[in-house]
Amino acid sequence: MTRRDFLQQASALLVAGFGQKLAGRTAAMPWFRISLAQWSLHRTIFSGKLDALDFPVVARQMFGLEAVEYVNQFFFDRARDRAYLRELKRRAEGEGVRSLLIMCDREGRLGDPDPKKRRQAVENHYKWVEAARFLGCHSIRVNAASEGSYEEQQKLAADGLRRLTEFAAAHGLNVLVENHGGLSSNGAWLAGLIRLVDHPRCGTLPDFGNWRIDATTRYDPYQGLAELMPFAKGVSAKSYDFDDEGNETRLDYVRLLRIVQAAGYRGYIGIEYEGNRLDEPSGIRATKRLLERVRTLLAEETQKDPKNR
């Protein structure tokens, strides 16, 4: 699909997206709302078929979604470019799209054993806190990479994370850690890290799919999600592929969303399609349909048995 075809497809769905927008104003508020993570379109953006500035427009017009999560890799050198950020904000607000957070990578290890490198990693994130505040986001998402033993990595990551969280708190923002490889994909380790930081502005962004600790070790996704949900200020619905009935082939979305619901979470859940068989727009739509279907199923279960709330 060329960039022109991609944008034409988005424009063709403008009327449908607008209708969904109007319907959303009168429908009862669902127990969670759906957002779109920019990484779902990473191949389209990296190939040049979609300008990153158009992401909020595409989220609304092509997929009927009202909120987005940015990825700093798509505007890595623009964190302090106010003209660029102002245009991004203008396009989002023009579509009635809410900017939720910026996912931050490639800025150093917040738990680096070297104190100077750890401090530099913390300071490297400051510009993203400021950019997120300008865009109207509630959080930045970071990684908690470190080195050493289980306890040493927890202590080092807590030091860097606490410093960054104190900076973000002064700007009215949260700092969220995602399970994103290494010990951060160990739910018990990451939950312990958040307790160690012990700051109300420091939380988690649980990802349904990122549970690979190393080449031979994977953490149980359902146990890990349950461990991270008490600290969640966002949730990432990772998806890879779907069967003929629209179910995700690697992950039990009913089981996952029951865990999210039981934790009392009532915020946004972000689509993060990362599959290869379906093209990115199709994968996004398939994930959205699945989330909507399971959301309705669990809402109906709750109505029948209030103990499920």
Side-chain angles (χ1 to χ4, degrees):
M1 182 182 292
T2 66
R3 181 175 186 272
R4 180 181 178 184
D5 291 339
F6 189 90
L7 293 176
Q8 283 180 340
Q9 188 175 3
S11 298
L13 292 170
L14 175 59
V15 174
F18 184 68
Q20 290 172 355
K21 181 177 180 180
L22 293 178
R25 292 176 179 173
T26 57
M29 187 68 70
W31 69 269
F32 72 82
R33 287 181 283 178
I34 302 173
S35 55
L36 180 62
Q38 198 170 18
W39 190 254
S40 297
L41 292 163
H42 69 277
R43 288 190 291 272
T44 306
I45 295 173
F46 282 139
S47 69
K49 294 176 183 176
L50 175 65
D51 188 326
L53 281 171
D54 285 325
F55 171 58
V57 179
V58 166
R60 169 62 84 182
Q61 295 187 8
M62 196 167 189
F63 305 110
L65 294 170
E66 63 178 21
V68 294
E69 296 143 21
Y70 302 107
V71 175
N72 73 338
Q73 295 183 53
F74 300 124
F75 54 114
F76 197 74
D77 59 346
R78 305 282 194 146
R80 292 195 169 100
D81 185 338
R82 282 304 171 95
Y84 183 91
L85 296 178
R86 191 176 297 111
E87 179 61 18
L88 181 58
K89 184 177 182 179
R90 185 190 70 80
R91 296 189 192 191
E93 291 179 346
E95 295 294 329
V97 169
R98 183 176 179 185
S99 299
L100 299 180
L101 57 87
I102 302 176
M103 298 182 180
C104 302
D105 302 302
R106 296 168 48 196
E107 292 291 8
R109 297 187 296 178
L110 291 173
D112 198 295
D114 184 323
K116 292 182 179 179
K117 292 181 179 179
R118 187 164 68 253
R119 182 170 58 252
Q120 186 62 58
V122 170
E123 293 175 358
N124 287 347
H125 285 82
Y126 287 174
K127 60 183 177 292
W128 295 111
V129 170
E130 293 164 349
R133 182 185 182 187
F134 182 83
L135 291 172
C137 301
H138 62 69
S139 303
I140 64 167
R141 187 279 280 151
V142 303
N143 300 300
S146 186
E147 185 179 334
S149 70
Y150 184 104
E151 293 78 11
E152 288 169 341
Q153 290 196 49
Q154 214 168 46
K155 182 178 179 181
L156 290 166
D159 176 66
L161 191 55
R162 176 80 193 198
R163 293 189 210 179
L164 178 57
T165 300
E166 288 172 350
F167 179 85
H171 290 73
L173 264 72
N174 306 306
V175 177
L176 311 184
V177 185
E178 181 182 351
N179 48 306
H180 208 192
L183 278 176
S184 76
S185 289
N186 178 317
W189 183 90
L190 183 48
L193 169 62
I194 302 302
R195 292 189 186 98
L196 198 58
V197 174
D198 190 25
H199 195 292
R201 285 287 188 176
C202 184
T204 59
L205 180 71
D207 185 293
F208 287 174
N210 287 349
W211 302 105
R212 183 178 180 273
I213 297 173
D214 57 39
T216 60
T217 311
R218 289 185 62 84
Y219 203 76
D220 180 84
Y222 310 102
Q223 177 183 338
L225 180 62
E227 289 167 334
L228 299 186
M229 281 309 303
F231 313 99
K233 299 180 187 294
V235 174
S236 185
K238 182 63 62 61
S239 59
Y240 304 96
D241 201 2
F242 303 85
D243 62 22
D244 292 340
E245 296 180 348
N247 297 308
E248 218 289 329
T249 56
R250 300 191 196 180
L251 297 162
D252 184 340
Y253 261 55
V254 174
R255 186 176 176 186
L256 290 165
L257 288 171
R258 279 201 176 110
I259 294 170
V260 173
Q261 184 186 49
Y265 182 81
R266 297 296 182 268
Y268 283 92
I269 295 182
I271 295 169
E272 191 171 66
Y273 173 67
E274 205 171 62
N276 295 308
R277 187 179 65 84
L278 298 177
D279 61 41
E280 289 177 326
S282 298
I284 291 167
R285 292 193 186 96
T287 310
K288 183 186 178 190
R289 286 193 297 269
L290 179 56
L291 285 170
E292 290 171 336
R293 175 161 56 85
V294 179
R295 180 176 65 187
T296 299
L297 171 67
L298 298 187
E300 290 173 350
E301 287 182 356
T302 300
Q303 288 177 349
K304 293 177 182 178
D305 186 358
K307 290 185 294 184
N308 291 329
R309 293 180 182 176

